[in-house]
Amino acid sequence: VELSRSEERFRLVSSVTNDAICDWNLLNNEVWLSDNFFTLFGYPPKLNIANRDYWVTKIHPEDRHKVEKRVDQAIKNNEKQWDAEYRFKKANGEYAHILDRGYIMHDENQRPVRMLCSMLDVTKLRRAEEEAVSQLEHSRFLAETMPLMVWTAKPDGEVDFFNNHFEQFTGLPLQDGKGKGWKRLLHEESMLQLRKVGHEAITQRKDFSLEIMIRRHDGEYRWHLL
């Protein structure tokens, strides 16, 4: 009776979670799939009992060997759980990025008999990460190709990025200029003006423009439009 209640509770949890749930019987190789599996990946609902191959053949060919090897190692080594990220083929031919977490159950003799897997679709997250990296690389490319000194700073004046033109003009290594090391290059009068104008721009949330004197690598101060 208790086992029946546990099974019922498991089925109820599987029906309300956003993950696709797989229940793999390691003894007969049957795999039970939750309804959400078919909803997430677009496959037509069918009998929820399949076999391991039904899942494996939909893993991207480049990821398949790695995932199978990881699962087999976890079973062989009597591990309690495993996880993997891979691409899984949907009914429309597209691949979803999946974070799969498996929990391996053992019998009284500590033999693995069952594996419960939770498949979470992280495609949107991975695409957002890829776009962020692409935008960052594009911004850095523009910063390094412009014949100008380009920098980014925090509100307190800590600089976290200089392009290479900064080092070429000032002679100060990039790492030494980061943080607040760049301040040694500004003329004292320019430093006072920058503090005043910069503070106003930050508090009022507006852009600013200012002419300042920056020391060149030969020691001569040159005017710049900031």
Side-chain angles (χ1 to χ4, degrees):
V1 176
E2 187 60 34
L3 178 60
S4 177
R5 289 177 179 173
S6 297
E7 290 291 337
E8 182 182 2
R9 190 178 299 114
F10 167 70
R11 305 303 182 197
L12 288 172
V13 171
S14 301
S15 66
V16 297
T17 181
N18 291 326
D19 297 6
I21 304 299
C22 305
D23 186 356
W24 178 18
N25 187 323
L26 301 179
L27 301 180
N28 60 18
N29 208 33
E30 286 186 347
V31 178
W32 176 87
L33 302 169
S34 67
D35 292 339
N36 207 33
F37 174 92
F38 304 101
T39 302
L40 275 178
F41 305 122
Y43 291 103
K46 56 172 64 178
L47 290 176
N48 283 20
I49 301 298
N51 57 46
R52 179 181 177 180
D53 290 342
Y54 182 81
W55 164 68
V56 170
T57 55
K58 292 176 176 56
I59 298 176
H60 194 287
E62 295 178 2
D63 302 334
R64 191 175 301 156
H65 175 71
K66 175 188 66 177
V67 175
E68 284 192 289
K69 183 178 179 181
R70 177 71 186 94
V71 172
D72 291 341
Q73 284 180 339
I75 295 174
K76 181 180 179 181
N77 298 333
N78 281 334
E79 297 179 24
K80 299 295 184 183
Q81 60 187 50
W82 69 277
D83 62 81
E85 188 168 333
Y86 55 86
R87 289 162 291 180
F88 192 79
K89 191 174 184 178
K90 301 168 66 174
N92 61 7
E94 296 178 358
Y95 281 92
H97 287 265
I98 298 300
L99 175 60
D100 199 344
R101 293 160 293 185
Y103 302 86
I104 304 172
M105 303 176 66
H106 298 75
D107 62 15
E108 63 274 10
N109 297 315
Q110 294 305 306
R111 291 178 302 184
V113 295
R114 183 178 176 186
M115 180 184 294
L116 301 178
C117 297
S118 172
M119 302 171 66
L120 176 64
D121 189 342
V122 294
T123 305
K124 291 183 179 179
L125 175 61
R126 292 294 166 261
R127 286 178 179 171
E129 290 175 347
E130 291 171 0
E131 289 176 2
V133 170
S134 177
Q135 290 174 3
L136 178 61
E137 291 176 346
H138 180 66
S139 298
R140 287 188 178 277
F141 172 77
L142 291 177
E144 296 297 356
T145 54
M146 287 190 292
L148 303 167
M149 283 187 279
V150 179
W151 51 272
T152 60
K154 301 175 183 177
D156 64 357
E158 291 252 355
V159 171
D160 50 19
F161 171 76
F162 277 117
N163 66 346
N164 288 323
H165 194 67
F166 168 85
E167 183 173 347
Q168 295 170 8
F169 181 84
T170 65
L172 184 68
L174 296 178
Q175 290 302 319
D176 294 345
K178 288 182 179 180
K180 296 187 177 181
W182 58 273
K183 291 185 175 181
R184 73 186 76 166
L185 300 171
L186 261 64
H187 190 281
E188 183 177 353
E189 183 179 332
S190 294
M191 190 72 248
L192 293 174
Q193 290 178 317
L194 178 59
R195 284 175 179 167
K196 180 177 183 296
V197 174
H199 177 73
E200 291 176 353
I202 291 173
T203 55
Q204 297 176 24
R205 298 187 178 185
K206 66 178 184 179
D207 298 336
F208 73 92
S209 178
L210 180 67
E211 291 187 2
I212 58 176
M213 288 185 284
I214 301 177
R215 190 174 69 239
R216 198 167 58 183
H217 56 81
D218 59 2
E220 181 180 345
Y221 282 96
R222 307 287 291 185
W223 283 102
H224 289 75
L225 177 61
L226 176 64

